[in-house]
Amino acid sequence: MDRATEFAERYGALASRDARFDGQFIAGVHTTGIYCRPSCPAMTPKPGNVSFYRTAAAAHEAGLRACKRCQPDAVPGSPDWNLRDDLASRAMRLVHDGVVEREGVPGLAARLGYTARHVTRVLTAELGAGPLALARAHRAQTARSLLAATELPVADIAYAAGFGSLRQFNDTIAAVYRATPTELRALARRGTPTSDDAGTITLHLPARAPFDGPGLFRFFADHGIRGFEEGDDTRFARPLQLPGGRALIDVTLEPSGVVLRARLATLSDLPALTARVRRMFDLDADSVAIDAHLGRDPDLAPLVSAVPGIRIPGSASVDEALFRTLVGQQISVAAARTVLGRIVEHFGDFPTAAQLADRGHEVLRGPIARIAAIRGVADVIAAGDLPLDPATPVAELRARLLALPGVGPWTAEYLAMRALGHPDAFPATDLVLAQSAAALGIAPSPRPAWAPWRSYAALHLWRARP
């Protein structure tokens, strides 16, 4: 799409106040010096006074501040970072996970496999801002969410959002929002303050509509590990390992998204927590585009119509998802839950790769070859020879997994979908998927016309199991 066409489409969304595009881009109005979400109720500016940006950081770099009326960062994030697998998108996944705060730009670049200079150059060219500016914008958004939803003191919020000092925090809030933290808290709440139990953080995480929340929560409940996870159609709770320690999360469904309640080992884990929960619940997916695309297929159209807004059930971590998948191969979901429950009980938590490699034989059951395969994969991960994080390119993950003994195409595709949130994976050899496809009279194979949303096509076929 050329720039003129792209500008015309975005301006049309702005002029019609189309909320479907909130979070996908922002509009900078140079005559007022602010940037807004597309659905902002303010008067539509003239085309010559508007520039569109993919990120808030790019708007900040252009000297703009966030609109106090529409609060453009209080919306679901861009689906681009999960849809695409290019360098910029993988970098954004890590920025949201708090890698820049923990490891700096050199650490971000090392995870991506490039020099810091190259990463900065690519991000500036494609997103309008370098990694430091992107991280700064994300810190400001995290702080705004905490000011709106918690009773935490301002100093604690500055620390939780990743700021190095209270002065840096105050300066950033003033630059981005043209307000003090206290003023921003009052503005964001708009008369609806919330309170937390001591030690519990409560946040509302919006989802892009339509959102099949009950189906997503039911999936987590049906696959939950006994004694480790619990849930039903509207709630899911479990422990979660974060960079600073173990957290306990409790996620409940609400009409516009989910409510996250968490007890953290350290407040600095909050950006990583929110990023991972958003991925787990696929909150940023562009359901309107996905449903419209898949609904054009006459075989899938009835399924899409019956379940609009279907989402990919993500995972707490890539390595946990890998071991859960390996343990569950060739056995029923119920049997896998039992086996995994026994493993968690044995180790007192979900085991690390090193623990499985060293002591997996104490608790793993089944064919000797399968046990050896699981421990072999654990050995590779524990040695650092199989990097598993949100920045792992999907093609690289598939190739590395398929090179391991005991790992086949089904595992690689299933993990691309559930562990990385890849929208275009399709485990064609899956038995349930094959049964559903047969009942519909179609081949259990990924049709080219379903791309780039074949993961969601697979989810519809699973849901339609006869």
Side-chain angles (χ1 to χ4, degrees), residues 24-295:
Q24 300 198 39
F25 63 86
I26 53 179
V29 185
H30 299 287
T31 49
T32 61
I34 64 171
Y35 64 90
C36 304
R37 63 170 84 177
S39 66
C40 183
M43 181 181 297
T44 304
K46 296 178 180 179
N49 296 330
V50 178
S51 294
F52 294 106
Y53 304 93
R54 292 183 64 190
T55 64
H60 300 163
E61 294 293 280
L64 304 171
R65 66 183 188 278
C67 175
K68 295 180 180 179
R69 185 174 183 181
C70 71
Q71 299 183 51
D73 56 355
V75 296
S78 172
D80 282 356
W81 318 138
N82 295 324
L83 170 61
R84 297 169 55 175
D85 204 36
D86 57 7
L87 176 59
S89 298
R90 291 187 288 115
M92 285 299 291
R93 295 199 287 268
L94 292 177
V95 167
H96 289 168
D97 201 60
V99 167
V100 174
E101 283 74 22
R102 295 192 300 272
E103 304 172 22
V105 176
L108 173 71
R111 284 178 177 248
L112 294 167
Y114 294 93
T115 66
R117 185 175 182 178
H118 179 72
V119 170
T120 299
R121 183 169 58 247
V122 170
L123 294 181
T124 302
E126 296 193 18
L127 305 182
L132 288 176
L134 291 165
R136 175 177 178 264
H138 185 61
R139 288 195 295 271
Q141 292 167 3
T142 299
R144 189 211 61 80
S145 297
L146 289 173
L147 288 166
T150 77
E151 301 293 346
L152 286 172
V154 168
D156 287 351
I157 288 176
Y159 172 68
F163 288 96
S165 68
L166 189 58
R167 179 177 179 178
Q168 183 190 60
F169 169 65
N170 288 329
D171 289 347
T172 298
I173 294 300
V176 173
Y177 298 106
R178 196 64 65 87
T180 67
T182 301
E183 292 169 342
L184 186 60
R185 171 171 268 167
L187 177 69
R189 291 183 176 186
R190 290 184 174 166
T192 56
T194 62
S195 61
D196 301 320
D197 296 331
T200 300
I201 298 293
T202 301
L203 291 175
H204 164 70
L205 303 181
R208 201 178 303 281
F211 176 51
D212 177 37
L216 188 59
F217 277 81
R218 174 45 52 192
F219 185 99
F220 285 128
D222 289 345
H223 291 77
I225 301 174
R226 294 185 177 93
F228 186 67
E229 299 168 318
E230 59 178 276
D232 52 32
D233 287 355
T234 60
R235 176 177 175 266
F236 181 65
R238 59 157 290 158
L240 199 65
Q241 192 63 39
L242 296 170
R246 195 172 190 258
L248 297 175
I249 68 167
D250 195 313
V251 186
T252 54
L253 179 64
E254 66 172 20
S256 59
V258 303
V259 173
L260 167 65
R261 296 177 179 86
R263 288 182 177 270
L264 300 171
T266 171
L267 283 174
S268 62
D269 277 340
L270 190 63
L273 171 65
T274 54
R276 294 177 194 190
V277 171
R278 293 201 70 84
R279 288 199 301 271
M280 281 181 66
F281 288 83
D282 199 14
L283 297 178
D284 298 328
D286 187 355
S287 291
V288 172
I290 296 167
D291 290 355
H293 185 84
L294 296 180

